[in-house]
PDB file of all heavy atoms in Angstrom:
ATOM      1  N   GLY J 644      -5.345 -16.745  -8.327  1.00 98.00           N
ATOM      2  CA  GLY J 644      -4.417 -16.486  -9.414  1.00 98.00           C
ATOM      3  C   GLY J 644      -3.326 -17.533  -9.571  1.00 98.00           C
ATOM      4  O   GLY J 644      -2.683 -17.608 -10.623  1.00 98.00           O
ATOM      5  N   GLU J 645      -3.110 -18.338  -8.533  1.00 97.00           N
ATOM      6  CA  GLU J 645      -2.106 -19.403  -8.679  1.00 97.00           C
ATOM      7  C   GLU J 645      -2.511 -20.357  -9.791  1.00 97.00           C
ATOM      8  O   GLU J 645      -1.661 -20.915 -10.488  1.00 97.00           O
ATOM      9  CB  GLU J 645      -1.934 -20.162  -7.362  1.00 97.00           C
ATOM     10  CG  GLU J 645      -0.988 -19.442  -6.432  1.00 97.00           C
ATOM     11  CD  GLU J 645      -0.756 -20.199  -5.136  1.00 97.00           C
ATOM     12  OE1 GLU J 645      -0.854 -21.446  -5.144  1.00 97.00           O
ATOM     13  OE2 GLU J 645      -0.489 -19.533  -4.130  1.00 97.00           O
ATOM     14  N   ASP J 646      -3.830 -20.542  -9.976  1.00 97.00           N
ATOM     15  CA  ASP J 646      -4.318 -21.417 -11.044  1.00 97.00           C
ATOM     16  C   ASP J 646      -4.120 -20.784 -12.417  1.00 97.00           C
ATOM     17  O   ASP J 646      -4.307 -21.441 -13.445  1.00 97.00           O
ATOM     18  CB  ASP J 646      -5.803 -21.734 -10.833  1.00 97.00           C
ATOM     19  CG  ASP J 646      -6.038 -22.451  -9.505  1.00 97.00           C
ATOM     20  OD1 ASP J 646      -5.093 -23.105  -9.021  1.00 97.00           O
ATOM     21  OD2 ASP J 646      -7.145 -22.326  -8.948  1.00 97.00           O
ATOM     22  N   PHE J 647      -3.763 -19.510 -12.448  1.00 98.00           N
ATOM     23  CA  PHE J 647      -3.503 -18.802 -13.702  1.00 98.00           C
ATOM     24  C   PHE J 647      -1.992 -18.600 -13.899  1.00 98.00           C
ATOM     25  O   PHE J 647      -1.568 -17.941 -14.827  1.00 98.00           O
ATOM     26  CB  PHE J 647      -4.211 -17.442 -13.693  1.00 98.00           C
ATOM     27  CG  PHE J 647      -5.711 -17.538 -13.742  1.00 98.00           C
ATOM     28  CD1 PHE J 647      -6.442 -17.913 -12.628  1.00 98.00           C
ATOM     29  CD2 PHE J 647      -6.401 -17.268 -14.922  1.00 98.00           C
ATOM     30  CE1 PHE J 647      -7.827 -18.009 -12.672  1.00 98.00           C
ATOM     31  CE2 PHE J 647      -7.786 -17.360 -14.972  1.00 98.00           C
ATOM     32  CZ  PHE J 647      -8.504 -17.736 -13.836  1.00 98.00           C
ATOM     33  N   GLY J 648      -1.216 -19.132 -12.966  1.00 98.00           N
ATOM     34  CA  GLY J 648       0.236 -19.011 -13.067  1.00 98.00           C
ATOM     35  C   GLY J 648       0.787 -17.695 -12.535  1.00 98.00           C
ATOM     36  O   GLY J 648       1.954 -17.367 -12.784  1.00 98.00           O
ATOM     37  N   PHE J 649      -0.022 -16.934 -11.798  1.00 98.00           N
ATOM     38  CA  PHE J 649       0.487 -15.660 -11.265  1.00 98.00           C
ATOM     39  C   PHE J 649       1.409 -15.926 -10.078  1.00 98.00           C
ATOM     40  O   PHE J 649       1.165 -16.820  -9.273  1.00 98.00           O
ATOM     41  CB  PHE J 649      -0.662 -14.742 -10.814  1.00 98.00           C
ATOM     42  CG  PHE J 649      -1.640 -14.401 -11.909  1.00 98.00           C
ATOM     43  CD1 PHE J 649      -2.932 -14.017 -11.603  1.00 98.00           C
ATOM     44  CD2 PHE J 649      -1.264 -14.462 -13.248  1.00 98.00           C
ATOM     45  CE1 PHE J 649      -3.842 -13.704 -12.602  1.00 98.00           C
ATOM     46  CE2 PHE J 649      -2.168 -14.154 -14.262  1.00 98.00           C
ATOM     47  CZ  PHE J 649      -3.456 -13.774 -13.940  1.00 98.00           C
ATOM     48  N   GLU J 650       2.450 -15.109  -9.972  1.00 97.00           N
ATOM     49  CA  GLU J 650       3.451 -15.313  -8.921  1.00 97.00           C
ATOM     50  C   GLU J 650       3.082 -14.643  -7.605  1.00 97.00           C
ATOM     51  O   GLU J 650       2.360 -13.655  -7.597  1.00 97.00           O
ATOM     52  CB  GLU J 650       4.799 -14.770  -9.395  1.00 97.00           C
ATOM     53  CG  GLU J 650       5.529 -15.772 -10.265  1.00 97.00           C
ATOM     54  CD  GLU J 650       6.653 -15.150 -11.047  1.00 97.00           C
ATOM     55  OE1 GLU J 650       7.115 -14.039 -10.693  1.00 97.00           O
ATOM     56  OE2 GLU J 650       7.062 -15.795 -12.036  1.00 97.00           O
ATOM     57  N   THR J 651       3.637 -15.185  -6.529  1.00 98.00           N
ATOM     58  CA  THR J 651       3.447 -14.565  -5.219  1.00 98.00           C
ATOM     59  C   THR J 651       4.093 -13.186  -5.211  1.00 98.00           C
ATOM     60  O   THR J 651       5.164 -12.995  -5.778  1.00 98.00           O
ATOM     61  CB  THR J 651       4.088 -15.436  -4.127  1.00 98.00           C
ATOM     62  OG1 THR J 651       3.523 -16.733  -4.235  1.00 98.00           O
ATOM     63  CG2 THR J 651       3.815 -14.886  -2.735  1.00 98.00           C
ATOM     64  N   GLU J 652       3.412 -12.226  -4.582  1.00 98.00           N
ATOM     65  CA  GLU J 652       3.941 -10.868  -4.459  1.00 98.00           C
ATOM     66  C   GLU J 652       4.174 -10.564  -2.985  1.00 98.00           C
ATOM     67  O   GLU J 652       3.564 -11.186  -2.118  1.00 98.00           O
ATOM     68  CB  GLU J 652       2.918  -9.869  -5.039  1.00 98.00           C
ATOM     69  CG  GLU J 652       2.574 -10.175  -6.485  1.00 98.00           C
ATOM     70  CD  GLU J 652       1.599  -9.183  -7.106  1.00 98.00           C
ATOM     71  OE1 GLU J 652       1.294  -8.147  -6.484  1.00 98.00           O
ATOM     72  OE2 GLU J 652       1.152  -9.456  -8.235  1.00 98.00           O
ATOM     73  N   GLN J 653       5.029  -9.600  -2.721  1.00 98.00           N
ATOM     74  CA  GLN J 653       5.288  -9.214  -1.338  1.00 98.00           C
ATOM     75  C   GLN J 653       5.026  -7.733  -1.147  1.00 98.00           C
ATOM     76  O   GLN J 653       5.493  -6.903  -1.926  1.00 98.00           O
ATOM     77  CB  GLN J 653       6.736  -9.532  -0.983  1.00 98.00           C
ATOM     78  CG  GLN J 653       7.000 -11.028  -1.002  1.00 98.00           C
ATOM     79  CD  GLN J 653       8.360 -11.338  -0.436  1.00 98.00           C
ATOM     80  OE1 GLN J 653       9.355 -10.795  -0.898  1.00 98.00           O
ATOM     81  NE2 GLN J 653       8.394 -12.192   0.572  1.00 98.00           N
ATOM     82  N   TYR J 654       4.266  -7.411  -0.101  1.00 98.00           N
ATOM     83  CA  TYR J 654       3.986  -6.014   0.220  1.00 98.00           C
ATOM     84  C   TYR J 654       5.087  -5.461   1.127  1.00 98.00           C
ATOM     85  O   TYR J 654       5.552  -6.149   2.039  1.00 98.00           O
ATOM     86  CB  TYR J 654       2.674  -5.875   0.982  1.00 98.00           C
ATOM     87  CG  TYR J 654       1.424  -6.266   0.228  1.00 98.00           C
ATOM     88  CD1 TYR J 654       0.228  -6.433   0.920  1.00 98.00           C
ATOM     89  CD2 TYR J 654       1.412  -6.450  -1.149  1.00 98.00           C
ATOM     90  CE1 TYR J 654      -0.944  -6.773   0.266  1.00 98.00           C
ATOM     91  CE2 TYR J 654       0.239  -6.798  -1.813  1.00 98.00           C
ATOM     92  CZ  TYR J 654      -0.937  -6.963  -1.099  1.00 98.00           C
ATOM     93  OH  TYR J 654      -2.099  -7.306  -1.747  1.00 98.00           O
ATOM     94  N   ALA J 655       5.461  -4.220   0.865  1.00 98.00           N
ATOM     95  CA  ALA J 655       6.454  -3.549   1.714  1.00 98.00           C
ATOM     96  C   ALA J 655       6.176  -2.053   1.710  1.00 98.00           C
ATOM     97  O   ALA J 655       5.407  -1.550   0.884  1.00 98.00           O
ATOM     98  CB  ALA J 655       7.862  -3.838   1.205  1.00 98.00           C
ATOM     99  N   ILE J 656       6.799  -1.370   2.642  1.00 98.00           N
ATOM    100  CA  ILE J 656       6.654   0.080   2.737  1.00 98.00           C
ATOM    101  C   ILE J 656       7.658   0.719   1.786  1.00 98.00           C
ATOM    102  O   ILE J 656       8.839   0.348   1.781  1.00 98.00           O
ATOM    103  CB  ILE J 656       6.902   0.541   4.189  1.00 98.00           C
ATOM    104  CG1 ILE J 656       5.848  -0.086   5.116  1.00 98.00           C
ATOM    105  CG2 ILE J 656       6.898   2.072   4.300  1.00 98.00           C
ATOM    106  CD1 ILE J 656       6.168   0.031   6.592  1.00 98.00           C
TER     107      ILE J 656
END
Side-chain angles (χ1 to χ4, degrees):
E645 277 182 28
D646 299 335
F647 292 75
F649 301 157
E650 277 164 18
T651 304
E652 303 182 9
Q653 295 189 305
Y654 295 167
I656 298 167

